[in-house]
Amino acid sequence: MPDLEDNKKDRQIFKKAPRFASLGLVLFIVAVLAIAVFFFFYRFSAVQSGWSKFLTVMQPILIGFAIAFVVNPIERNVEKYYIKKNLGKKKEDKIKKRGRTLGVAAAIAVFLAAVVALILLIIPQTVTSVRELIVVIPDQLEAFQQWLTETAQNNSKLAMLLDKLNIDIANEDSFIIRWIVDEMLPKSSTWIEYLTTGVISVGRTVLNFIIGIIIAIYVLTSKDLLKATTKKIIYTIFGSKRGNWVARCFRKSEIIFGGFVIGKIIDSIIIGIICFVVMLILRLPYSGLISIIVGFTNVIPFFGPFIGAIPSILLILLVNPWQALYFMILILILQQFDGNILGPKILGGITGLNTFWVLFAILVFGGFFGIPGMVLGVPVFGVIYYILQEIMAHYLKKRNLPIELSDYKDIESIDPETGEVKYHTPKNMQTEDKKDNKKIFKKPIK
């Protein structure tokens, strides 16, 4: 009898063993995640350093994927056109291979032509602008010194401040010479070091860019294989049911990223052209260089035009303060036009985010990842927002609750037992009110 009782106890323990094992696994995962989060915040500088090094190593690959992503629509359309025109004339495999080759060649050719055109536009404008600045700056400094002298004669506080700073404005050359001797020359070695580092960094970026173009060609050529590999990994990890949902999220992510990036590039080109034309009409200086700066920074949603406007205003301010004021008004009008008319028209609300979430994404991702975070923060948050919506919709559907956001505007409470939804205004009255409003608007005006 004791043996039988011991056997029963052993069997009960073995039956509970899987539960204990799963509970232990969950506790272990929670503990590991807690340690990881603690380490992330406690050693944030080390994490940032590691992340920066990882990005530096991965830079050519990331550039390659980015180029492939941008030019993929061109490749796809050329390939489809070639296959449509030649289908049935030769073997299908050969036509598909030739279509892919022609598509990749056309996409890379268009991309390189755009890069060369941009360089030919930027470099001459930059050289011209720098030459003009070299000519203008001494005269502007002299005018500033003269204004300072006249102001100090009528303002005793300013004269005392200049005297404390040991600035002799009576001597025409002392102000500029003292600035050169005291400020410029001691820091010349630091500036040379920065310049050398910058040249090396630019050289490395150019090399990574060339490698990135080669990677982009391979990515475009073998994109079907890469998609198949990704799907295989998804279904291996998540199975068929969850795998379908994950694959759908990936497709939605591609739509959000593709629509946002390509749409924003087109939007920025249009804004840059409009800025250039208006600056020529108003005869504002450095129109080419400033329009390029405004176009580039416009890729950043909402804050982009203002970020590009700051150095541009300083450049124009050296020539004419009134023209700088005109340019500020121009930027405000451009920002309003882009934010309210052009941007929504091109992007078409593809991210599914309202203005608050757009600002939230820019500030948060920009704070953590700088300029790249400000550019890509909106589509990334758009994907996160979509995934959260999908998860909420799944659980709401499971509990027989309304899914649409508009259904929750007038909800007063939900009965926890029956699941009945109570509204501030009865649902039938809402629909009747809407019908009445439609009838009123449909009546012709006498």
Side-chain angles (χ1 to χ4, degrees), residues 97-282:
K97 282 182 181 178
R98 286 183 183 178
R100 177 61 56 86
T101 305
L102 283 172
V104 172
I108 296 299
V110 169
F111 177 75
L112 289 175
V115 171
V116 170
L118 202 61
I119 290 170
L120 292 175
L121 186 65
I122 289 173
I123 290 175
Q125 285 290 332
T126 306
V127 170
T128 305
S129 300
V130 169
R131 283 178 181 172
E132 288 178 5
L133 281 171
I134 290 169
V135 173
V136 166
I137 282 175
D139 294 335
Q140 294 297 324
L141 285 172
E142 187 178 346
F144 174 70
Q145 184 176 345
Q146 187 177 356
W147 172 83
L148 200 64
T149 305
E150 292 173 358
T151 307
Q153 287 174 355
N154 301 320
N155 193 324
S156 58
K157 290 183 179 179
L158 179 62
M160 288 174 63
L161 178 64
L162 293 173
D163 186 53
K164 284 182 181 179
L165 294 172
N166 198 22
I167 295 174
D168 184 12
I169 57 174
N171 189 348
E172 292 182 0
D173 298 327
S174 66
F175 178 70
I176 298 170
I177 292 170
R178 186 177 295 280
W179 178 76
I180 292 170
V181 172
D182 294 345
E183 298 292 332
M184 205 171 165
L185 291 179
K187 294 179 180 177
S188 59
S189 59
T190 309
W191 288 357
I192 291 167
E193 186 180 342
Y194 286 152
L195 184 64
T196 307
T197 307
V199 169
I200 293 168
S201 179
V202 168
R204 191 185 295 116
T205 304
V206 170
L207 179 62
N208 288 337
F209 185 77
I210 294 167
I211 297 168
I213 292 172
I214 297 167
I215 290 170
I217 293 169
Y218 282 108
V219 170
L220 289 170
T221 307
S222 58
K223 62 180 179 180
D224 293 334
L225 183 63
L226 289 171
K227 284 182 180 179
T229 306
T230 305
K231 287 177 184 177
K232 186 179 179 181
I233 293 168
I234 288 170
Y235 285 109
T236 302
I237 295 170
F238 297 100
S240 58
K241 191 176 179 181
R242 290 191 178 92
N244 290 333
W245 180 79
V246 174
R248 190 168 71 250
C249 288
F250 267 93
R251 283 193 293 272
K252 183 67 177 178
S253 303
E254 186 181 356
I255 292 167
I256 291 173
F257 266 90
F260 180 83
V261 173
I262 294 167
K264 205 62 187 161
I265 289 170
I266 294 168
D267 175 52
S268 299
I269 291 169
I270 293 170
I271 290 295
I273 292 169
I274 293 171
C275 183
F276 179 69
V277 171
V278 176
M279 286 186 75
L280 284 179
I281 293 168
L282 296 175

Side-chain angles (χ1 to χ4, degrees), residues 43-64:
R43 299 293 299 274
F44 187 68
S45 58
V47 173
Q48 276 188 320
S49 177
W51 176 251
S52 178
K53 191 173 181 180
F54 172 76
L55 288 179
T56 304
V57 173
M58 292 291 290
Q59 191 180 44
I61 297 170
L62 294 173
I63 289 171

Side-chain angles (χ1 to χ4, degrees), residues 389-418:
Q389 279 186 320
E390 286 284 301
I391 292 168
M392 285 192 293
H394 170 74
Y395 282 105
L396 288 170
K397 193 175 180 181
K398 213 172 180 181
R399 293 162 185 169
N400 294 320
L401 293 172
I403 295 172
E404 295 298 325
L405 184 64
S406 58
D407 293 330
Y408 286 86
K409 287 182 179 178
D410 293 315
I411 285 181
E412 185 178 355
S413 62
I414 299 172
D415 195 312
E417 294 180 359
T418 61

